[in-house]
Structure formats: C-alpha cells, structure tokens
Amino acid sequence: MVGCGWAHFDRSFSSPSSAAAVAHRRQTEPMGLEVAGVKDYDDYRRSRYGEITHKALLVDAVGTLLVPSQPMAQVYREIGEKYGVEYSEDEILNRYRRAYSQPWGKSRLRYVNDGRQFWQYIASSSTGCLDCRYFEELYNYYTTNKAWHLCDPEAEKVFMTLRKAGVKVAVVSNFDTRLRSVLKALNCDHWFDAVAVSAEVEAEKPNPTIFLKACELLGVKPEDAIHVGDDRRNDIWGARDAGCDAFLWGSDVHSFKEVAQRIGVKI
C-alpha cells in the first residue's frame, strides 16, 4: 500500500532464568518459546529491576498499533477506476508484491523523507497507471483516518496508565514522514513520548540504529526498554540486536493490556 510494508505474524521470545543465559539464549535460540521459561524471565527481571521491569515501551506501528482499514489491492483498484486502472485486485496484489520485493535503486532505504518517489514507483508498477492525479489521491488517502484503524481499542487507556506509572512510550516504525500525520489523524499522537521513523532516522528495522535512536529520544538505556511488534525479523531480532527485550505481537502478547501486565504495570 502507499504507506507500509508487509507484516509477518510468527512466534518468538525465548526467556532464560539467569543473566548469562539471557545473552547465550539470544545468540543460540532466538526463536525458542517455552511457557515456563517466559515466566522465569519475567521473574528474573523483577528480581533484578523491581516490580516494573522496564522503563520504556517501544511499539511498532503497522500491524501492531494500527492496520489498514481496507485491503491494499482493493483501495488501489477502487481509486484507480476513475483513472483507467483495469487490473483485478489479484493482479494488483501480485504486481505490488513483485515491485515491493525489488531493491529500491541504490538506496539502502525504501522510505526517504515523504517516500513519494518510492510509492510512485510502487503505485505505477502495481496498476500500470502513470497519471500523477491517481498517485496523489492514493498517496493522500493513506494519511487519513479512513485508511487506518487502531488494533487495540484499549490502547489509549493502557498507554496513559503506563506513562503515569513512569514507563515512557515510543513508536518505532519503518515508515515515511507521513506517519506523524497518520497518528494525528487517528488522534493518538499525544499518547507517545517520542516517535522514531525510519525515514527520519535514516535506518530501517531490523537495523538496531532505529531502536537505539528511540531509546536516546526517551532517555533510557536499551536494556531498560522492551519493544513489541508483529515481525520476527524486523521487530524481534532488530530490537534484540540493539540490546532491548522484545515481545512478538499476536504470539507472545495479544493486547497492550497484556504487555503492561507482563512488565509489571496493573491496568
């Protein structure tokens, strides 16, 4: 879509019972998950850091905090009909996937500044339409509250409670600079102490740089932060490479209330 990449739901989060095991397990068993082990690690954090185990929560945007309200191919086709787009939704989806998977020129980043060049390439490749009016309508659609909705209806209550408990909260996302407009459109921009966007940081997850930047913005050490996201590679491995803990959304945790409870904040 003109706004985000692919979300991959998978399972992750191994949990040791000692500091040495933490480092060892992160290197040797990044995909392991044992229910008893998770409890052991939560207990270990509490024994070392207190009842509230982390000073900061980092949150992925697309696929965790928010999701598209309509399938990408449907939006591309419906808006494109007035501009002569004739491809079916299946054709658009296949062409989108093909274009998105290709290297983006010589850049190591897909989203530079507002991402216009990248998304113009994606839109035209997906639909065959070169009409700039089509691209502008599509591009602007993905800055509105019609295009997105929040994943968790209790998110605001949880984030406000976390912040009152002294836990700082930041969004960490592979996105272009429109993310701030999207958060504002959804009336949730004030929930966060900081926003780390790949287009601004000039580093995309799983590059640990973006997680380190988020921690810097919050004024916390990486080991005092935990990240929650829906992509094993980008969110779990990337966060761990930066020295943060991580939960996989949809597997380790299924709501922000559960995240809060896991780190010791009662909702």
Side-chain angles (χ1 to χ4, degrees):
M1 66 196 62
V2 181
C4 67
W6 295 100
H8 303 284
F9 289 85
D10 213 331
R11 297 185 65 84
S12 177
F13 195 73
S14 54
S15 303
S17 57
S18 70
V22 173
H24 176 72
R25 189 75 67 88
R26 279 177 175 168
Q27 295 297 320
T28 61
E29 300 179 35
M31 297 188 212
L33 172 63
E34 298 178 5
V35 174
V38 168
K39 184 178 184 299
D40 288 344
Y41 184 59
D42 289 348
D43 290 344
Y44 159 74
R45 289 287 306 194
R46 288 190 177 89
S47 69
R48 183 169 181 181
Y49 298 101
E51 188 61 28
I52 298 180
T53 60
H54 297 80
K55 296 178 181 179
L57 172 65
L58 313 181
V59 180
D60 170 51
V62 180
T64 306
L65 176 66
L66 52 91
V67 289
S69 296
Q70 294 176 274
M72 174 277 303
Q74 180 182 340
V75 174
Y76 274 44
R77 182 186 60 78
E78 289 181 352
I79 293 178
E81 284 179 344
K82 69 177 89 171
Y83 300 100
V85 173
E86 297 180 350
Y87 292 143
S88 68
E89 290 181 23
D90 285 343
E91 288 176 305
I92 290 172
L93 179 59
N94 288 334
R95 291 170 68 95
Y96 178 101
R97 285 173 170 166
R98 194 158 52 245
Y100 196 89
S101 66
Q102 298 302 311
W104 173 229
K106 297 180 180 180
S107 175
R108 57 189 174 83
L109 300 174
R110 296 182 190 276
Y111 317 124
V112 177
N113 297 323
D114 61 9
R116 279 181 175 274
Q117 286 187 315
F118 174 74
W119 288 116
Q120 196 160 26
Y121 160 72
I122 293 295
S124 61
S125 298
S126 301
T127 63
C129 183
L130 300 176
D131 192 322
C132 62
R133 295 172 300 171
Y134 169 57
F135 171 71
E136 289 299 325
E137 184 172 345
L138 193 62
Y139 181 86
N140 290 327
Y141 167 80
Y142 279 105
T143 66
T144 68
N145 59 7
K146 181 180 179 181
W148 307 94
H149 65 269
L150 296 167
C151 291
D152 186 343
E154 290 192 298
E156 180 176 15
K157 175 184 176 182
V158 174
F159 292 145
M160 294 301 102
T161 303
L162 284 168
R163 294 175 71 186
K164 287 179 181 178
V167 178
K168 297 180 179 179
V169 185
V171 175
V172 181
S173 177
N174 286 353
F175 213 115
D176 55 66
T177 53
R178 288 175 299 164
L179 179 60
R180 296 181 185 278
S181 297
V182 171
L183 296 177
K184 187 173 183 178
L186 293 173
N187 195 31
C188 66
D189 55 321
H190 62 286
W191 298 355
F192 306 101
D193 298 290
V195 177
V197 188
S198 63
E200 296 174 350
V201 177
E202 298 185 349
E204 293 181 1
K205 296 181 293 183
N207 188 328
T209 298
I210 190 170
F211 297 98
L212 295 174
K213 182 61 177 181
C215 291
E216 177 187 332
L217 291 171
L218 295 178
V220 301
K221 297 178 181 179
E223 59 265 31
D224 290 329
I226 187 161
H227 176 71
V228 58
D230 67 313
D231 186 289
R232 181 193 296 276
R233 176 178 176 270
N234 286 346
D235 295 304
I236 306 304
W237 294 355
R240 289 177 176 174
D241 280 348
C244 304
D245 282 326
F247 289 144
L248 189 66
W249 183 260
S251 179
D252 301 324
V253 290
H254 300 82
S255 69
F256 290 118
K257 180 178 181 179
E258 185 178 356
V259 172
Q261 291 173 334
R262 286 284 300 273
I263 68 174
V265 177
K266 296 180 180 179
I267 304 298

